[in-house]
Amino acid sequence: MKFLLPWLLVCAVHAADLIEHAKAHPDGKAAFSFDATAWSDVEATRHLPIGVFDSGIGGLTVLEALLTLDAFHNDTLQPGADGAADFAQERFIYFGDQANMPYGNYSAVNRTDYLRELIVKDTIFLLGKRFWPAKGNVPSFTKPPVKAIVIACNTATAYGLEGIRKAVAAWKIPVIVVGVVEAGARGVLESKTTGGIGVLATVGTCASGVYPRTITQTLGLAGQSVPVIAQQGSATLAGAIEGDAAFPESVSAYALKEARALMEAYRDAKPTKPLQTIVLGCTHYPLAKDEIDTAFDSLRQEPAFRDLIAEQRLFVNPAEATAKELFRELAKAKLRLKPGEHCILEHGQFYLSVPRVDEVGIQLSADGNLDRDYKYSRSPGQFDYEDTKNVPLSPALIPANSAKLVRERLPTVWQSLSH
């Protein structure tokens, strides 16, 4: 404990520094700041868009769920489909912090303090008007702020949900914050699993222990017994799905490696039932669900795992449960747009972080991304230095293999992105 408390104190100090930095620049012109008057009119706030962020394009799986959800009656707000999308009147601003991904690897190099700062910076970007045009070195200030923030990243939820909520409270702004981990645990409960549970996530998410803890609490509160829960943290699969050149093997190859490692951990736990439910604990992973399922099918052909893997697996994608929670929270806060009302945006907006190649001191790899050693050696607290910039995202900025996955498996997002 004597080692843990100083570390927590350092994290809290850096978060407080960033909160105060934003307060000190209330006009939103400086980096990592926002216009603090944007929510002064309650009625105008209702017509703002909703912000969604992830460490890359994986959060688009959550956005797809938001755009297609039909789980409530839009007039009565009661549960049940009515044939109309629940967020049809709303518009979304999506931000993928691709330059700094994968978030899940920061804990492995003892940089969770910097990760927590990145997460609050993502929030500030969505709250503010500041972004960089696709071309040019002068920021623009025409992006609208948001009325709600969806943390469409499991690692960011694990390490940043409470920090974001504390920041929003300190800034005294009426912005809703929703994360994906609690939703994933509810998905496990609703799956009515009778076998073991496996969690595939990033290294950071697994290191936090957030999924086993939250699943155990959720099942326990529902009066259900808790089966064996095994988890496997990957440092490669999300990057491979993103099309990062640092991960040259196929998505299928990485999926098989992670599935095998998960099953080895499950076997070591000496379960009495086969693994049946698999939580896709990284928002990138639903894009590779077919490859992951094929990997488990392949492992079932091996004698060592044949009796440890259920023939029919249940996959839990926290995205839909997250969309349902957002609907309920907006309705509760009376911030939801009603049928016939309109957001100030006609269409959704998409942004992506890219290296700011003209910044002094930045180090790039051969493919133009941030150098890995440089990326994972940075320290928090440098609010006057921007080594990345957030620019409008177009399909052309998505790596070809990732674009193919989005186009084929997230058709509503792809249509919106291509608008």
Side-chain angles (χ1 to χ4, degrees):
M1 183 63 69
K2 65 180 180 179
F3 297 107
L4 179 60
L5 289 177
W7 176 81
L8 290 174
L9 179 61
V10 169
C11 292
V13 168
H14 287 310
D17 288 347
L18 187 50
I19 291 171
E20 292 305 315
H21 170 82
K23 284 183 178 180
H25 300 86
D27 62 357
K29 299 295 184 182
F32 315 121
S33 69
F34 59 91
D35 180 357
T37 66
W39 301 269
S40 57
D41 186 319
V42 176
E43 182 59 26
T45 297
R46 292 179 57 248
H47 295 267
L48 294 177
I50 296 164
V52 181
F53 80 84
D54 183 39
S55 61
I57 66 167
L60 293 175
T61 60
V62 176
L63 182 58
E64 180 80 7
L66 290 165
L67 292 173
T68 59
L69 183 73
D70 180 14
F72 300 90
H73 287 270
N74 283 279
D75 292 331
T76 66
L77 307 185
Q78 295 303 306
D82 63 358
D86 294 328
F87 294 102
Q89 312 305 122
E90 308 288 352
R91 297 295 179 265
F92 296 89
I93 296 179
Y94 181 86
F95 171 57
D97 190 17
Q98 184 158 303
N100 293 303
M101 68 87 63
Y103 277 9
N105 291 350
Y106 284 88
S107 65
V109 291
N110 297 316
R111 281 292 183 268
T112 52
D113 53 351
Y114 190 75
L115 172 61
R116 293 174 195 270
E117 183 177 283
L118 282 176
I119 295 165
V120 178
K121 286 178 177 178
D122 295 342
T123 302
I124 290 175
F125 171 71
L126 289 173
L127 295 174
K129 300 178 180 179
R130 188 177 188 270
F131 73 98
W132 295 80
K135 296 182 179 179
N137 293 315
V138 178
S140 297
F141 298 89
T142 56
K143 183 191 77 64
V146 299
K147 64 182 177 183
I149 292 175
V150 177
I151 311 174
C153 173
N154 290 272
T155 301
T157 301
Y159 287 93
L161 176 61
E162 293 308 312
I164 291 176
R165 286 176 173 165
K166 288 179 181 178
V168 166
W171 292 322
K172 298 179 179 179
I173 55 177
V175 175
I176 293 168
V177 182
V178 174
V180 294
V181 173
E182 293 90 346
R186 285 194 298 273
V188 172
L189 175 64
E190 293 170 0
S191 75
K192 302 184 185 305
T193 183
T194 58
I197 299 169
V199 178
L200 285 173
T202 64
V203 172
T205 297
C206 289
S208 74
V210 67
Y211 263 111
R213 182 171 63 250
T214 308
I215 291 171
T216 298
Q217 291 172 347
T218 302
L219 295 180
L221 289 173
Q224 294 191 12
S225 60
V226 181
V228 170
I229 303 174
Q231 57 177 356
Q232 167 60 20
S234 173
T236 58
L237 186 53
I241 294 170
E242 285 272 2
D244 191 329
F247 308 104
E249 295 184 55
S250 68
V251 171
S252 295
Y254 287 114
L256 182 58
K257 290 179 181 178
E258 304 307 335
R260 183 180 298 280
L262 175 63
M263 290 313 304
E264 289 171 350
Y266 187 71
R267 180 185 58 197
D268 292 345
K270 302 185 185 307
T272 58
K273 296 180 179 180
L275 183 139
Q276 181 185 41
T277 300
I278 301 165
V279 179
L280 300 176
C282 171
T283 50
H284 290 71
Y285 294 177
L287 288 168
K289 176 179 173 292
D290 292 347
E291 289 85 348
I292 293 171
D293 197 26
T294 297
F296 282 99
D297 268 335
S298 177
L299 290 176
R300 283 195 80 247
Q301 309 308 310
E302 301 181 15
F305 300 120
R306 182 176 297 124
D307 296 331
L308 289 177
I309 303 174
E311 184 176 0
Q312 299 296 324
R313 274 85 56 195
L314 302 172
F315 283 88
V316 173
N317 177 1
E320 183 176 349
T322 301
K324 291 177 181 178
E325 181 175 347
L326 177 64
F327 183 95
R328 289 188 289 262
E329 290 297 317
L330 286 174
K332 179 181 177 181
K334 301 187 186 309
L335 289 177
R336 178 179 171 273
L337 288 177
K338 302 173 183 177
E341 295 183 327
H342 301 283
C343 177
I344 62 173
L345 282 180
E346 183 178 359
H347 304 289
Q349 294 182 353
F350 297 80
Y351 295 89
L352 193 74
S353 67
V354 298
R356 190 179 173 194
V357 296
D358 59 329
E359 186 64 87
V360 175
I362 189 173
Q363 298 177 31
L364 302 176
S365 59
D367 60 6
N369 293 316
L370 293 179
D371 175 76
R372 188 185 188 285
D373 290 340
Y374 168 82
K375 180 190 296 187
Y376 293 112
S377 65
R378 294 171 295 177
S379 299
Q382 303 181 53
F383 307 139
D384 58 349
Y385 180 77
E386 294 178 275
D387 56 6
T388 66
K389 58 183 181 180
N390 304 334
V391 302
L393 169 62
S394 66
L397 288 178
I398 303 178
N401 62 332
S402 299
K404 182 175 183 293
L405 289 173
V406 174
R407 184 171 60 251
E408 293 177 351
R409 303 179 189 183
L410 306 176
T412 307
V413 164
W414 185 259
Q415 182 180 8
S416 181
L417 182 60
S418 304
H419 193 280

